[in-house]
Amino acid sequence: IHPQPPLRRPAMANASLQSFLPQHHHSFLNSNTHDGSPPALLKLTTNSTNASNSISFKLFASSSSSVTTTANSPAPTPVAAAAAATTSPPTPSLELLGQQLAAGEYRQADETTRALLIVLAGEAARRRGYVFFSEVQFISVEDLRAVDALWLEHSGGRFGYSVQRRVWDKSLREFTRFFIKIGWMKKLDTEVEQFNYRAFPDEFIWELTDDTPEGHLPLTNALRGTRLLENIFTHPAFDCEEDEAAGADEEADKGSATGQNNKDDNKGRGRPKSLTDFKPDYSF
């Protein structure tokens, strides 16, 4: 019986295989033996699992015994998981809102304002991700005034809920007229005067210029109707005695008889108008 001839393999293959073996096993790759025993055969097998890949080398001699050494390669890096990881948005706070407004980042400040109202409105609003009109009452006067004060400070008194409340009052609390005045609706290029809602976000104005309508920001989602806006505007935070006194003085200057008639008319107009035919089609 003649011994099996040694396995021929390229030098590059030997070098790559040696890199997987411990140093004290490198002698197994030699085709010549020192004790006269038949040369060994080197067989490579691979085992693949979900966790890792392993490469095994088995040395077979003429006898039934064999020696096995295994080199485990590290598990591949989960590239997909790393790519899916995203930076979480900053936690809404008055400090963050002030920084964004000071930097003129009105789009980001608008998002932060909306997130702040959700946080301030209570646990149910936080779980839901938006505020019901009935939850506005849970926002404290101090918190809502603090949000409004930042908008006033960084816009020269042209942005904020209190500004919108004043424009709303001047519009006799009619929301269609109010939306036109603050620029949430745009005039269409038609022969007959018509208006349509601006598309969010591209058609809204995210900078403060001379042409920016007073009260244009912050935005309030009216997709579910105007009651959320109404409850913000009628919140105790914006029931200013100065505005009421100024309105009373203005009525007195018009004369007693005419003033009385206008006062009666304004009482009826001041109540929120029924908007059963009003169907807002924007969401922001």
Side-chain angles (χ1 to χ4, degrees):
I1 301 176
H2 296 285
Q4 188 172 352
L7 180 65
R8 294 180 177 271
R9 35 181 115 67
M12 184 178 296
N14 276 344
S16 62
L17 293 175
Q18 289 178 15
S19 64
F20 287 99
L21 291 175
Q23 294 296 326
H24 60 278
H25 285 156
H26 283 185
S27 60
F28 292 154
L29 294 174
N30 296 328
S31 59
N32 298 326
T33 58
H34 301 287
D35 55 359
S37 58
L41 291 179
L42 178 63
K43 293 185 179 181
L44 181 148
T45 60
T46 61
N47 296 320
S48 298
T49 64
N50 293 332
S52 63
N53 297 325
S54 64
I55 302 177
S56 301
F57 303 93
K58 291 188 177 182
L59 298 174
F60 294 91
S62 58
S63 60
S64 58
S65 61
S66 65
V67 180
T68 303
T69 180
T70 302
N72 292 325
S73 61
T77 304
V79 179
T86 57
T87 305
S88 58
T91 302
S93 64
L94 290 174
E95 180 181 3
L96 175 62
L97 178 60
Q99 293 172 353
Q100 292 170 336
L101 289 171
E105 300 172 348
Y106 293 109
R107 172 71 189 279
Q108 293 85 342
D110 182 73
E111 295 288 345
T112 300
T113 301
R114 189 158 30 255
L116 274 173
L117 292 189
I118 294 174
V119 172
L120 297 173
E123 181 62 29
R126 290 193 289 270
R127 290 196 304 266
R128 189 187 313 113
Y130 57 88
V131 181
F132 278 151
F133 69 89
S134 58
E135 295 170 329
V136 175
Q137 61 181 318
F138 303 137
I139 303 176
S140 70
V141 170
E142 293 77 12
D143 289 333
L144 199 51
R145 283 181 178 174
V147 172
D148 183 62
L150 288 174
W151 279 98
L152 290 171
E153 177 184 355
H154 297 288
S155 67
R158 296 178 60 189
F159 291 158
Y161 292 122
S162 59
V163 178
Q164 293 174 350
R165 160 68 188 266
R166 185 171 64 251
V167 177
W168 184 55
D169 285 338
K170 290 181 179 180
S171 303
L172 303 179
R173 301 193 174 188
E174 294 179 6
F175 278 100
T176 301
R177 185 181 300 180
F178 167 73
F179 291 152
I180 294 173
K181 284 190 174 182
I182 66 172
W184 289 5
M185 299 181 73
K186 61 180 181 179
K187 186 177 181 180
L188 301 180
D189 187 15
T190 57
E191 294 182 0
V192 180
E193 187 178 64
Q194 293 181 338
F195 294 83
N196 196 11
Y197 299 104
R198 293 184 183 271
F200 178 84
D202 296 336
E203 293 188 352
F204 285 88
I205 304 172
W206 302 109
E207 58 184 356
L208 183 61
T209 66
D210 294 338
D211 298 329
T212 305
E214 185 182 36
H216 189 71
L217 296 174
L219 304 181
T220 300
N221 191 328
L223 181 63
R224 289 170 291 276
T226 57
R227 297 194 68 180
L228 177 60
L229 264 173
E230 179 183 332
N231 279 264
I232 291 176
F233 294 160
T234 57
H235 191 279
F238 306 122
D239 285 342
C240 300
E241 296 180 359
E242 296 82 13
D243 293 342
E244 295 176 357
D249 293 339
E250 183 179 353
E251 290 294 335
D253 293 339
K254 293 180 180 179
S256 57
T258 304
Q260 183 63 37
N261 292 335
N262 290 340
K263 186 176 181 181
D264 294 339
D265 291 341
N266 287 337
K267 284 184 178 179
R269 293 176 181 175
R271 291 189 294 269
K273 184 179 179 181
S274 175
L275 298 172
T276 56
D277 59 339
F278 183 77
K279 298 179 180 179
D281 58 356
Y282 52 91
S283 58
F284 46 81

